[in-house]
Every structure is written in structure tokens, then in C-alpha cells.
Amino acid sequence: LKIGELIELAAHYRMPAVAITDHGNLFGAVEFYKKATKAGIKPIIGCEVYVAPKNMLDKTKDESNESSFHLVLLARDNNGYKNLVTLVSKAYTDGFYYKPRIDKALLEQYSGGLIGLSSCMKGEIPYYLHRGMLDEAREAALEYKRILGPENFFIEIQNNDLEEQDKLNLKLIDLARDLHIGIAGTNDCHYLKKEDAKAHDILICIQTGKTVSDENRLKFTSDGFYFKSPDEMKAYFKDVPEAVLNTKAIAERCNVDFKLGVTLLP
């Protein structure tokens, strides 16, 4: 996704806000902020962070053979943005193991001004649910709810045209309602238009040093990771209307204000 094209399409859809949540970093935040505000769209600054299963200083994989889980963090205000910057920086300097990682103890220390979403199928809660580990999923959800605050953590359901994701969404909805956690409907975008899926596939091959014919390579099993229209999203989440309303409410609560054009010396 190129930021300019993303903002252009969001403006075409008359969207009031759009978020950037790159994996593990905030490198695009300033360019994104500038282009979104210029187009009259609220920029939501976030990051899809990697969370170590245990301690971020522990450079081993856990029993699940995972070195990290995904978690979406959005800056609610300028204090939240500062905390997000700190988390991402420490993830690189202290927690790096395959990926820049934080842990729950660090998140608790810098949780102010942040909204958390349970992320994609690589998130800790979806990961456990997908494997039938209900107790672990409940425990993780309640811990994030405690760390971020009941009003600042949401179970995320996504629409990416994946059959296994559709089944997982039903489990996530049940868990959220059982634990009284809000549900947010989101769109995990990796490219702009549906027809970009093939080019994206080739790009992954280049990044991972594989060929398209390699059966054992990293590959997306759907061409649904494009920037969907509001109508497409509403249609998909028609049975869970609160997921759409909560997404709008979260957007309204995120208000980061960058002071640009000012020299800030270290």
C-alpha cells in the first residue's frame, strides 16, 4: 500500500478516518499524518506490535513454537503516541528476536493513551481459539482488558475472505460477549485493490527469496486483503452491527495532533 493512494481511495469512499498499523514500526506515521490531514481525513496512528509469549528478553520460542503474537495498538492521544513510540523503540533495542517484540509487562508500563485490538489470526487470542485452547484465550483476553482498561480493549473480527477466519470470527464474538469486551470490525489491508493480489504475492517471493512455484513458501490463501469499501464492510458485518459502530467510536476517540514545522532538538 502506498500512503497517497490509500488516502485517495479513503477520500473517494468519504471515510472520516483511516488508520496506519504497520508491523512492528511507526516509520510511515508522519507522512501518513500529513497526507491524511491535507485530504480532510482523520489520521489514526497505530502499530501492529509483536508481543513475546513470555518475557521479551527471553530469546526462545514457547511451547506453541511461536516467538511472538500480534497486537494492534492505536494512539488515543499525544500521550498514547509517546507511549507507542517508547514501546516500538524498546521492541527494537531490547526485545528483538526474529521481530521487534514487546511483552505484557512493558505494555502495562506504557499503556496510557492507547487502545488495543486483538489483531488478526496471529493475535494471541485468535491463535488460542483457533487451536481449541479456550482457557488460554480467555486468560489472554482478560489480561489485555486489565492492562489497557475495559473501555480500551476490543476483540477484533476481520473480513479477508478466508473460510477459517469466518469460523474463527464466530468464536471471537462468543468470547467477547461472554467476557463483556467490545467487538471491532476491521479490514486487514496489504494492498489497495483486489487485482493487486498477484503482484503482492510476487513481492512476498522477492522479500523471502522464494519462487512462485515453491509450494512451501509464505503465501496468502485469499485475494481479500485489499482496501474494501464501507458498503462491503457493512454487508460483511451485518449480523454484528456493534462491530461497525465500535469501529466508528474508536476512530472518534483517537485524536493525535502532531506539531509540524517546529525544530525539536534532542
Side-chain angles (χ1 to χ4, degrees):
L1 275 169
K2 292 184 175 70
I3 290 172
E5 292 177 356
L6 170 69
I7 299 299
E8 201 177 308
L9 191 55
H12 171 73
Y13 288 143
R14 298 187 176 184
M15 293 172 69
V18 68
I20 186 171
T21 55
D22 284 341
H23 282 287
N25 74 73
L26 291 161
F27 305 150
V30 175
E31 182 192 345
F32 177 79
Y33 180 92
K34 285 179 177 176
K35 288 183 175 173
T37 49
K38 190 177 179 183
I41 295 170
K42 181 195 281 189
I44 298 172
I45 308 297
C47 180
E48 188 164 6
V49 297
Y50 298 100
V51 183
K54 294 170 185 168
N55 188 310
M56 63 193 263
L57 302 177
D58 179 13
K59 305 296 170 75
T60 57
K61 295 185 178 183
D62 75 342
E63 309 82 55
S64 65
N65 204 33
E66 291 294 325
S67 61
S68 61
F69 294 113
H70 295 191
L71 177 72
V72 174
L73 295 175
L74 306 174
R76 210 169 65 232
D77 49 32
N78 282 32
N79 179 50
Y81 175 70
K82 284 180 183 176
N83 281 334
L84 195 54
V85 168
T86 304
L87 288 166
V88 167
S89 298
K90 287 183 181 291
Y92 274 97
T93 57
D94 301 338
F96 200 99
Y97 178 62
Y98 290 97
K99 306 275 173 57
R101 307 176 312 159
I102 65 167
D103 58 25
K104 287 171 189 165
L106 189 71
L107 177 61
E108 189 160 10
Q109 199 177 340
Y110 296 99
S111 61
L114 294 174
I115 288 176
L117 307 173
S118 62
S119 193
C120 58
M121 291 173 72
K122 278 280 285 180
E124 186 175 0
I125 298 159
Y127 178 92
Y128 288 139
L129 276 183
H130 191 50
R131 284 155 183 78
M133 301 162 71
L134 183 58
D135 289 345
E136 288 84 350
R138 286 174 62 89
E139 191 181 326
L142 289 170
E143 193 165 12
Y144 283 121
K145 183 181 178 181
R146 178 188 65 79
I147 291 170
L148 291 157
E151 72 286 355
N152 297 322
F153 179 65
F154 294 83
I155 296 290
E156 190 171 355
I157 57 174
Q158 297 186 342
N159 167 23
N160 293 113
D161 303 331
L162 292 167
E163 190 180 335
E164 56 185 339
Q165 190 180 59
D166 294 340
K167 291 175 184 173
L168 184 60
N169 281 344
L170 297 175
K171 294 178 183 177
L172 286 163
I173 291 163
D174 286 345
L175 182 71
R177 288 176 176 163
D178 184 38
L179 300 179
H180 304 288
I181 296 173
I183 302 166
T186 68
N187 186 16
D188 190 3
C189 311
H190 286 255
Y191 39 86
L192 196 69
K193 297 174 182 172
K194 194 168 188 174
E195 55 267 29
D196 293 334
K198 187 178 179 183
H200 178 256
D201 190 41
I202 292 166
L203 182 66
I204 290 174
C205 287
I206 294 167
Q207 288 174 337
T208 54
K210 303 286 185 182
T211 61
V212 177
S213 58
D214 189 338
E215 290 297 318
N216 298 316
R217 64 186 176 84
L218 176 64
K219 183 177 171 64
F220 282 46
T221 54
S222 152
D223 59 1
F225 288 83
Y226 66 96
F227 193 83
K228 294 181 174 69
S229 71
D231 287 342
E232 285 177 282
M233 297 300 287
K234 283 177 193 167
Y236 181 82
F237 295 125
K238 66 181 185 296
D239 296 330
V240 202
E242 70 265 36
V244 178
L245 294 172
N246 282 338
T247 304
K248 188 169 181 286
I250 291 166
E252 286 168 356
R253 289 176 60 200
C254 291
N255 298 289
V256 172
D257 180 29
F258 284 175
K259 294 281 185 286
L260 299 172
V262 180
T263 303
L264 299 169
L265 296 172

